[in-house]
Each structure stands twice: as structure tokens, then as C-alpha cells.
Amino acid sequence: MSVDGSLDRLKREGRIVVVGASLAGLRAAETLREKGFAGSLTMIGDEPYDRPPLSKQVLLGRATADRTGLPRHRAIDAQWRLGVPATGLDLAARRVRLADGDEVEYDRLLIATGVRARPWPQEDEAELDGVFVLRTRDDAEALERSLAQGPRRVLVIGAGFTGSEIASACRERGIAVTVAERADAPLVGALGGVVGQVAAELHRKHGVDLRCGVMVTGLEGDSAGRVRAAHFSDGNTVEADVVVVSLGAQRNTEWLAGSGLGAGPRGIACDAGCRAFDIRGIVTDDIYVAGDVARSPHPLFGYQFLSLEHWGNAVAQAETAAHNMLSDSADRRPHIWVPAFWSSQFGVNIKSVGVPSMGTEILIAQGSRSEHRFTGVYGYQDRVIGAVTFDQTKWLQFYQQLIETTAPFPPASPTVDRRPEGQQPMPADFPDPSVPTHGPTVTLSGYAPDDRRLSFTPARH
């Protein structure tokens, strides 16, 4: 309990505002109530829904977009301000400004505004009928409706995880699909070129017209304003009645411009306890950040600032932020969630842990790339930094433990590490980070100059 009783007063009668009412915001609100917060709780944003099914079940017609609402773990007794976005923040007055001109005062603020799909840069082309992005429930509903009409060909621009899942859904529905990727293979931004070549084989094995090393330079519409073709940087043209732009995400931070908070295109900087930094690098005590929009230092990964677009990270970070909002400094805990990600495409279950994109080397530790069933382990500065499995999920927990204990790379475990005789680590073949690629799910956005080794045992709750 705080010495002056201010924490008790906050719990009894304080005002907490959550900007961003989706996964992270909702889970934080539930945690606040579970931990005894009895004051006023205001939720600002859009109606919460679950995002992973959108590029999987919904596009296959196995679930409808209106059935993707997030389950509520408990009633949160909140004032909901849905559909009215936040437009500004007054740090000194502790007020959030809304688009309708209203202002909401807070004692604690959680920002969980997430990300949005990066649109096609040419606005007139982006507005053509038949051009889609996929991020929201409405996006998924509109795209599925278009796929159900049986287009002659779909063009997917960008072969990251979402773009690849869209291509997979198209092929499963028997629709011809072309995928354009500026890198040398799909998934290279997230998993590197060695694994990317396996992903390319999967695309082509399932009938995808995969075009790598090219960019789409323009979209062409017909006289009725419907997309009909795309022009490529190699001079080729592809006719398509549906185009899905899958060029990654933009973090929703524009509303914080001029607020004095440390927010920008890479997200909102916060400490390991989820407290936001201001533009002077000073940590705030009343503003917290969680989910895709947050970027925070991680001791397991050289104290680099990581931005994680992961479902599990949003939940864990929201729970940590809510705990710390209601705790004295001595009782606060760090958010040290090991990144984890999964994707299902072309009948293969792909899962990763750690930060593969930090890896400079990769070792195929189990299985075979040619059979599209394997485990790849990533190394960075002689330690295990990440792992990926293609239909070999059972190995992930073992490699997660190696990541958490900063185990040496290559891993030396003759009873578990059944790599073929003579198999050696090879360059992971990640692209130059200064060249944009589509779809890394972990963004490295800053680091400390030295590599700190430590042994980390996650807390069990």
C-alpha cells in the first residue's frame, strides 16, 4: 500500500481511460476489474473483435465476420465511447480529446490503439472497386464476399504472413492467384531467405503464380471504375478482378502528434513496465502502453526496443500494464514475454518463437526443408535467438527454453538435436533492413550498444 494512500484512492474512485478497445484494451480492462479497481473506466475506440480468424476461417467461408467478437472474460462495468476516435492528448491537464469535441479526464491512461493496414499509396487506384486491404472485420467481410463470387484471378501484393494466408485461402477455394513480392521469396522479412525459399516452394506447389523480385508500379481500372490489371516493374502486366494490398501495418499514433509523448511511426516508446516515455526520454507515471502500438526494451534480446504484432503479446502486455497501473513501484513487474507467432498456409502449420529476424545464422535442427517439415534454429552472437517450425510444433518449447536461458548457438544437445550428420549452420539470409519487405511480425527499433547475457526464468502465474 502506498504511504499516502493515493493508490487506495485510485482503486476506489480513480478515473482510468483506455484508448483502443480491441484485444489489448479489453484484456487490460478486465484485469483492472479483477485486481479490484472500482473507479470509473472509460473505453474509447472500435468494437472489439478477434483478428486471427479474419485471414483464415473468414476468407475460407468457414466463419462469418460478425462471429469474430472477442469473448468477454468478465463484465467490466465501463462507459463505452465506441466509434468516436481520440484526436489528441493533453499531458498536463490529463485529458483525452475526442473527435466529437468532448474531452475525457483521467488519472491513469492506457493507450492500446494498435495498427492499421498500410493502404495502396496511389489514392485514386486504391479506391478502385475490387481493391482491398485486410485488417478489420469489415475488410474481411467485403473480401470474402468478393471471393465467393468466383473472380477469374486475385492479385496479392506482398508475401508476408497475411498475404501468404490470403493466397492460400484463394487456392483452397479454387481461385487463380498471383502473388507479387519485392523480396526474393515470401516471408523473408520475418524468417529470412533460407526459410523463405521453402515458403516459395509451398506457394508454387499449390499453384500460386509467385512473382518475386518485382514491384507493382500501378493498378489499372476499367471505365466503370473497377480494377482490371496491374503493371509490374519488370514490364509485365497481370489481369485481375480482385487485388489485395498486403504491405504491412501502420501504427496508430498520429493522434498523439504534438502531445509531448514519445510516439511516432514506429510506435510509442515505453519501459519494460509498460510506462510511456515522453519526448525527452523521461518515463511517465500515469500513461501506459500495450499491444501492437507499443515498443519496449527486452533484456533477452540485447535491450532492443521491440514492436510485436502478436496476439499473445497483446494479452500478456495488457495484463502487465493493468497490474502496474494499480501497483506501487516495488510491486510492479516487467513485461518480458517471449515473442511467439503462428500461421496456417497451404496446409502447413508455421510457428515461431523468439526474434528470428535478429538471427545471422540458421541451423536446420530437425526434419527436412525438402519435405516442408522441419525446425530451424536462429543464432545471433553465438546464442540461440529464435526458432521456427514447419509442422513440427513439438520442438518449440524446447527451443524457447534455450532462448530464455541465452543458450549457446549452435545448440549442443545430442539427445534432442537430431540434425543430419554434417549439417552446419548457414547464413539466415535476411534482407537489408533498410529495404522494406512485407510482413515482419517483430520490428527491431533500437538497441543498446552492448550485448548483455543473462539467465531469465519467466514468472508462473
Side-chain angles (χ1 to χ4, degrees), residues 307-318:
S307 299
L308 307 177
E309 294 177 40
H310 296 164
W311 194 97
N313 177 76
V315 171
Q317 195 168 30

Side-chain angles (χ1 to χ4, degrees), residues 363 365-366 377 384 395 398-399 401-402 407-420:
L363 175 71
Q366 279 87 28
V377 186
V384 176
W395 292 110
F398 171 75
Y399 289 109
Q401 292 171 349
L402 296 188
F409 180 88
S413 180
T415 59
V416 176
D417 197 7
R418 302 172 184 166
R419 60 182 179 271

Side-chain angles (χ1 to χ4, degrees), residues 286-421:
D286 52 358
I287 301 176
Y288 291 74
V289 196
D292 297 354
V293 77
R295 51 186 293 258
S296 59
H298 201 308
L300 278 177
F301 305 104
Y303 291 88
Q304 293 224 32
F305 276 79
L306 302 184
S307 299
L308 307 177
E309 294 177 40
H310 296 164
W311 194 97
N313 177 76
V315 171
Q317 195 168 30
E319 291 172 349
T320 298
H323 169 86
N324 291 344
M325 280 177 140
L326 301 178
S327 299
D328 287 313
S329 58
D331 296 325
R332 291 174 185 155
R333 62 179 188 230
H335 171 65
I336 314 181
W337 189 78
V338 176
F341 184 78
W342 72 279
S343 176
S344 179
Q345 49 190 264
F346 306 108
V348 174
N349 189 11
I350 303 172
K351 291 193 174 184
S352 72
V353 290
V355 186
S357 55
M358 281 185 71
T360 54
E361 297 179 281
I362 186 172
L363 175 71
I364 305 303
Q366 279 87 28
S368 165
R369 284 182 290 161
S370 62
E371 297 174 3
H372 305 152
R373 182 182 174 87
F374 65 94
T375 299
V377 186
Y378 295 84
Y380 171 72
Q381 295 188 358
D382 301 320
R383 57 161 288 201
V384 176
I385 202 77
V388 64
T389 60
F390 276 49
D391 279 345
Q392 284 200 335
T393 306
K394 63 181 181 180
W395 292 110
L396 271 190
Q397 186 174 3
F398 171 75
Y399 289 109
Q400 180 168 332
Q401 292 171 349
L402 296 188
I403 295 166
E404 291 173 348
T405 55
T406 65
F409 180 88
S413 180
T415 59
V416 176
D417 197 7
R418 302 172 184 166
R419 60 182 179 271
E421 185 176 356

